[in-house]
Amino acid sequence: MAVAFRNLNLVWGLKRPHESFIKSDRSDKGALFPNASIKLWVLCCSREEIFFGTHRRQVEIKKKSQSRLIFSKSTTHYSGNTNEGEKEEDIAKMTLIWRAIKLPIYSVALVPLTVGGAAAYLQTGMFSSRRYFVLLASSILVITWLNLSNDVYDFDTGADKNKKESVVNLVGSRTGTFVAAYSSLVLGIIGLTWTSLGAGSVQAIFLLACSITCGYIYQVHKLCPPFRLSYQGLGEPLCFSAFGPFTTTAFYLLLGSSSEVTSLPLTSTILSVSLLVGFTTSLILFCSHFHQIEEDAAVGKISPLVRLGTERGSHVVKAAIFTLYSLVFAFGLSRALPFTCILLCALTIPMGKLVFSFVEENHKDKGKIFMAKYYCVRLHALFGAALAGGLVAARMFS
């Protein structure tokens, strides 16, 4: 039996017990098996206690390390959220300043000048870069006057009471904004007049005067109470006239004049492109009212969108985009526009589709529809670049 038990120990991989455990009378074969069983049971129990004790300690250490890790992550997350909150405040403030500056809107100064200059180049083959940049700086000053004075008058009527990006609300000074606005106007008029006198174009001076007058009677409310045409929903026609036929044609006359050519003819080409520029400019103004219908209605500013509502207004935008490209093809078929203009303007159709799709999908969302006017600015800039590029290309390849 003892031999069998020893063999059994070898089979199960058990080590031989210490000598102190196996001291017994080998001749007493009946007592050997019980003592060995008890010793084996004690050895197994001690091994199990060691194993489970070690496992419990490992689990406790792991739990403690996990709790420390969770605490450390939560602390980091909290501090991260605090920093993010501070950054969001900074970003929000910078966004308001960006919206107050309205830098993309200054494309309404760049596009009429560039398209008018391209039309003059098509007619004469000449281009004066010095005169171009003087007119650009003067136009930017006039647009600055429009933006700042518009904020002043809307502040007076209460239309901008909840408009955080209003310059008056950001600066905190109505008088300071008013002075800055009319200082910009005076400087802009000086630049335009000086260039017009240098070109010897009385027609251009008259057209620019009409354009500035349209801007004045569009917005003014205290200095010229009988007008207030923007409050009667006539802002878009005034915008169309000012930036289209008046300004674009005036720049065409100024940039095409020289010592040899003092007066350019008013061709069907310049009339066509001026109408298209006025169309895209007035679309920007129309879409800028989507997010402030309630504020406009509260102060008696009856913009077209106050009359129509956002849903019908979105249909108007879609019809306007369709009309814009229909006019391009119509002017092309009548040979008022060269084929290169039709080709390049057709490349901007996806942008036009993006404008009316965005308005159609988001006209009820006051937070998102704010971006509609910026999509219109992109269309205005791209479409103007296509027109100008087409006119220049027509001259170069003719």
Side-chain angles (χ1 to χ4, degrees):
M1 291 294 291
V3 173
F5 183 73
R6 287 189 188 123
N7 291 336
L8 185 62
N9 284 340
L10 292 174
V11 171
W12 288 97
L14 297 175
K15 295 181 181 179
R16 289 185 62 188
H18 196 270
E19 291 296 331
S20 61
F21 286 132
I22 57 173
K23 284 184 179 181
S24 60
D25 189 2
R26 296 183 182 271
S27 61
D28 190 359
K29 296 181 181 180
L32 180 62
F33 181 77
N35 291 336
S37 299
I38 292 170
K39 290 182 177 66
L40 179 63
W41 180 79
V42 170
L43 181 62
C44 291
C45 287
S46 64
R47 286 184 177 181
E48 288 177 357
E49 287 175 0
I50 292 170
F51 172 76
F52 286 112
T54 304
H55 180 68
R56 279 195 299 270
R57 283 194 297 273
Q58 289 177 350
V59 169
E60 289 174 1
I61 292 169
K62 189 175 181 181
K63 285 181 178 179
K64 288 179 180 179
S65 64
Q66 285 179 346
S67 64
R68 287 183 190 138
L69 182 62
I70 290 170
F71 176 76
S72 135
K73 283 184 178 179
S74 65
T75 306
T76 305
H77 180 68
Y78 175 77
S79 62
N81 283 344
T82 305
N83 293 332
E84 285 176 4
E86 291 175 357
K87 288 180 181 177
E88 282 178 4
E89 275 187 6
D90 294 339
I91 291 171
K93 189 174 181 180
M94 291 304 296
T95 302
L96 291 176
I97 294 173
W98 172 259
R99 289 177 180 176
I101 295 173
K102 301 175 185 176
L103 188 60
I105 301 297
Y106 287 88
S107 64
V108 301
L110 181 63
V111 169
L113 176 61
T114 305
V115 172
Y121 177 76
L122 174 65
Q123 186 70 27
T124 64
M126 296 183 301
F127 178 76
S128 173
S129 58
R130 182 182 64 85
R131 192 175 292 176
Y132 176 89
F133 286 110
V134 171
L135 289 173
L136 178 60
S138 302
S139 301
I140 288 173
L141 288 169
V142 173
I143 300 302
T144 302
W145 160 69
L146 281 171
N147 286 335
L148 293 179
S149 58
N150 186 63
D151 279 1
V152 169
Y153 297 132
D154 281 343
F155 175 80
D156 290 339
T157 60
D160 282 357
K161 182 179 179 181
N162 299 319
K163 190 176 180 181
K164 294 181 180 179
E165 65 271 15
S166 168
V167 176
V168 179
N169 291 334
L170 283 173
V171 175
S173 173
R174 188 253 185 212
T175 304
T177 307
F178 183 84
V179 171
Y182 278 88
S183 299
S184 299
L185 176 62
V186 171
L187 292 173
I189 289 176
I190 290 173
L192 294 174
T193 305
W194 179 74
T195 308
S196 300
L197 292 174
S201 178
V202 179
Q203 289 176 308
I205 296 177
F206 173 75
L207 290 171
L208 290 172
C210 290
S211 177
I212 293 173
T213 303
C214 284
Y216 180 77
I217 64 177
Y218 157 73
Q219 62 185 327
V220 81
H221 115 275
K222 275 192 174 180
L223 300 178
C224 200
F227 297 113
R228 301 184 65 186
L229 297 183
S230 64
Y231 280 68
Q232 305 304 319
L234 297 176
E236 282 72 13
L238 287 169
C239 181
F240 172 85
S241 302
F243 292 97
F246 293 152
T247 304
T248 306
T249 307
F251 289 149
Y252 160 77
L253 295 172
L254 291 176
L255 292 172
S257 301
S258 64
S259 56
E260 293 82 12
V261 182
T262 56
S263 180
L264 290 180
L266 296 178
T267 63
S268 59
T269 300
I270 184 59
L271 294 176
S272 300
V273 296
S274 65
L275 291 175
L276 294 173
V277 169
F279 202 94
T280 55
T281 309
S282 57
L283 186 61
I284 297 172
L285 180 60
F286 182 84
C287 288
S288 67
H289 294 298
F290 268 103
H291 70 289
Q292 56 185 33
I293 291 177
E294 295 175 0
E295 290 82 355
D296 287 346
V299 296
K301 188 175 181 178
I302 312 299
S303 67
L305 282 169
V306 171
R307 300 177 188 273
L308 296 172
T310 59
E311 186 171 358
R312 284 192 291 178
S314 67
H315 299 326
V316 170
V317 172
K318 188 173 183 178
I321 298 293
F322 179 79
T323 303
L324 175 67
Y325 289 99
S326 299
L327 286 173
V328 171
F329 288 107
F331 291 151
L333 291 175
S334 64
R335 297 184 180 275
L337 288 180
F339 175 75
T340 49
C341 285
I342 301 174
L343 182 63
L344 292 178
C345 287
L347 297 178
T348 67
I349 290 177
M351 189 66 225
K353 184 179 178 182
L354 177 63
V355 169
F356 75 73
S357 297
F358 178 82
V359 173
E360 207 170 37
E361 292 171 6
N362 301 292
H363 66 89
K364 292 182 179 179
D365 191 332
K366 191 176 179 180
K368 291 182 179 179
I369 200 60
F370 179 88
M371 289 299 298
K373 65 179 178 182
Y374 292 108
Y375 283 113
C376 289
V377 169
R378 294 179 193 177
L379 175 62
H380 175 67
L382 287 174
F383 192 86
L387 275 179
L391 295 170
V392 172
R395 176 74 187 194
M396 294 177 64
F397 296 118
S398 62

